[in-house]
Structure formats: C-alpha cells, structure tokens
Amino acid sequence: MASSFNVHDAAGYERLMGRWSQKLAPLFIEFAGLANGEKILDVGCGTGSLTFALTKAADLGEISAIDYSSVFVEAANRRNTDPRIKIRQADACALPFKDAMFDRAFALLVLHFVPEAGKAVAEMRRVVRPGGAVAAVVWDHLGGMAGMRMMIDTVAALGESGRQLRSRYCFQPMMQPGEMKRTFIHQGLADVTETDLMIRMDYQNFDDYWAPIAAGEGPLGKYMTTLDAAERRRTDAAVRDAYEAGQPDGPRSFANVARACRGIVP
C-alpha cells in the first residue's frame, strides 16, 4: 500500500520535518509508555527520529523499524550503530512479522499518509502480544499547524489548485477529533486514550522555513513541483510576505499540535 508522502532526499526531509519529529518523539514515548527489556516495532520510521529516541528512553531488548520508502530505510541504516535495531523496507498494511511478537508497536507521523490507515492499525494490533500497546501520533493539519497553514492558506488564496491542496492537506486520514480513537476501538483495541501533544517549530529565517518545500519535499513541496516558473515566483513572493508579516526577515516560531492515541491489545 503506497504512502502518500513525497520524499526525494533524506537530508531535505530532515530539514522539512525530521528535526521537528525528533522534538515530538520524546513526548510521544512518554504518552505511549515504555519499559526495559521490551521488543518494540516502529512503523514508518522515516530517518529514525523515533527509532533512535527509543534507545534513549529505556534499556530495550530489540527494536524493529520499517518504512515504505527505500530512501528513508537507507538513511536510517546509515545512522544506525546499535545492534538491537533492525531496519528494513516494508508495508505498514502488510507487516512482515509473526503474530504477537512485540510488546509495543508505535507509529510517529505516519498514519495520515497511509491510504488505508485502519488496515495499518489492524496490522500493528496483530503483531503486538496481548497486554501490549499500540500507539500512534499524527499532526493536526486543520487546526494545529500554524506555520504550514500559513503556506496552505496563502496558495489557496492564489488559485484553484491551491484550494484543492488545502482540502487534501487539512482532511488527511486520522486527523479529525476522535478519528484515531474510533479506528483503534474498531480494530479491537481496549482502554483507548487520545490526547494532544505540542511542540514549537523555530525557524532562523524565511529560507530556513521555505527551502525544503521549494525543493519539492513533502506534500507541500510536491505541490510546488506542479507550478510553472511564473507561478513559482508568485507563490514564493506571497509565502515570503506571509512569513515576514510586514517585519524584516528573521526568526519565527510556530506552535504545532499533534493528536496521539494509545490502546491495549486484549
């Protein structure tokens, strides 16, 4: 099952989102729970933001990590120096693991890019032992990402293609209040809890914010690759104006909220 996330270069992803998922990972781990000696599955590991944070949070027995993108798998494997960590390419909707072989399965900023997110939750439940936990977290694109909505609303004001992008971006799977909780319950998980987690994205200047998007990374970057030269210039100028907001270019800080959900395998 293909992911809807767009990635060209691991370094570009790090600048776009990896540095922020590293800030989110400890908050997510605290919410999801962790104990020494456990076997953990990281579904959709990307460049390893959660994978490597797990090793700092507890003395784990084993970490298996998968991602659909070979670009991410190669980048994460290059970073890995821990023999407990095994990283491979795989599909979140068809996990290559036996039933009940993990203590916990986590998904950090993944499910909203899986077209059949419910199937991915079902697979996570399948590979976790009874009494173990399944947990996931996704960004609240509609109401919780001020910095990204700034760009989205700007391009929506410029034309129909921008309005279509906004509709897709704001209503990806698992993002609406209670949606993940209902999915977890539907897939047979018990004691399901949903909460909000918040970090701030701090940028040094407009280029720090805009460069990875302009280079085509992520869903917003993918939109930029569809524009002709004149449209790109107009979009660049309009988003810069929104970022600067009438003041000189420089540091800006945006609050970003993510929805997290946790359930127990009966």
Side-chain angles (χ1 to χ4, degrees):
M1 180 62 61
S3 167
S4 64
F5 189 83
N6 184 63
V7 59
H8 294 296
D9 175 72
Y13 169 80
E14 283 295 297
R15 192 172 180 188
L16 173 71
M17 189 56 62
R19 53 180 166 168
W20 312 125
S21 58
Q22 289 172 29
K23 291 180 68 173
L24 182 63
L27 301 181
F28 177 52
I29 292 170
E30 183 178 1
F31 166 75
L34 206 60
N36 291 340
E38 289 185 331
K39 294 177 63 176
I40 308 299
L41 174 63
D42 179 3
V43 176
C45 63
T47 53
S49 296
L50 177 61
T51 308
F52 301 118
L54 287 166
T55 64
K56 300 174 183 177
D59 184 14
L60 299 174
E62 179 182 316
I63 303 170
S64 293
I66 66 102
D67 201 280
Y68 191 82
S69 166
S70 61
V71 173
F72 283 153
V73 171
E74 291 166 8
N77 272 314
R78 284 195 299 270
R79 290 181 59 191
N80 184 31
T81 60
D82 191 325
R84 296 173 299 171
I85 298 174
K86 307 298 181 186
I87 306 166
R88 62 192 289 190
Q89 187 174 11
D91 185 342
C93 293
L95 295 172
F97 303 107
K98 296 178 181 179
D99 294 357
M101 68 176 292
F102 295 101
D103 296 293
R104 302 176 198 262
F106 295 157
L108 177 79
L109 304 179
V110 174
L111 291 185
H112 48 317
F113 294 115
V114 179
E116 293 186 60
K119 185 179 290 187
V121 174
E123 277 291 273
M124 293 169 72
R125 179 194 185 280
R126 178 184 65 80
V127 301
V128 171
R129 63 168 175 80
V134 172
V137 62
V138 302
W139 291 123
D140 175 7
H141 281 184
L142 178 65
M145 295 195 79
M148 296 300 106
R149 276 300 300 268
M150 178 178 68
M151 182 265 188
I152 287 287
D153 289 336
T154 298
V155 300
L158 295 177
E160 179 58 29
S161 63
R163 287 190 287 275
Q164 292 176 10
L165 170 66
R166 180 171 60 184
S167 180
R168 293 192 302 272
Y169 182 83
C170 291
F171 294 96
Q172 286 179 261
M174 302 292 104
M175 289 188 173
Q176 305 313 304
E179 186 178 0
M180 268 201 299
K181 184 174 183 177
R182 291 191 296 272
T183 300
F184 273 42
I185 293 171
H186 180 73
Q187 296 301 337
L189 292 160
D191 300 325
V192 178
T193 302
E194 192 174 62
T195 194
D196 289 340
L197 305 175
M198 194 275 282
I199 68 165
R200 296 197 73 89
M201 294 183 180
D202 299 307
Y203 300 97
Q204 294 303 307
N205 49 41
F206 178 68
D207 182 67
D208 190 28
Y209 167 84
W210 187 238
I213 299 173
E217 292 297 338
L220 306 187
K222 184 178 182 180
Y223 169 81
M224 292 299 295
T225 66
T226 68
L227 304 180
D228 62 30
E231 290 172 324
R232 282 185 65 97
R233 287 193 297 271
R234 187 166 70 124
T235 301
D236 288 346
V239 177
R240 175 182 286 276
D241 183 64
Y243 178 91
E244 293 178 354
Q247 299 296 317
D249 189 13
R252 302 290 190 271
S253 181
F254 301 100
N256 290 267
V257 176
R259 300 191 189 282
C261 193
R262 178 188 67 229
I264 303 300
V265 177

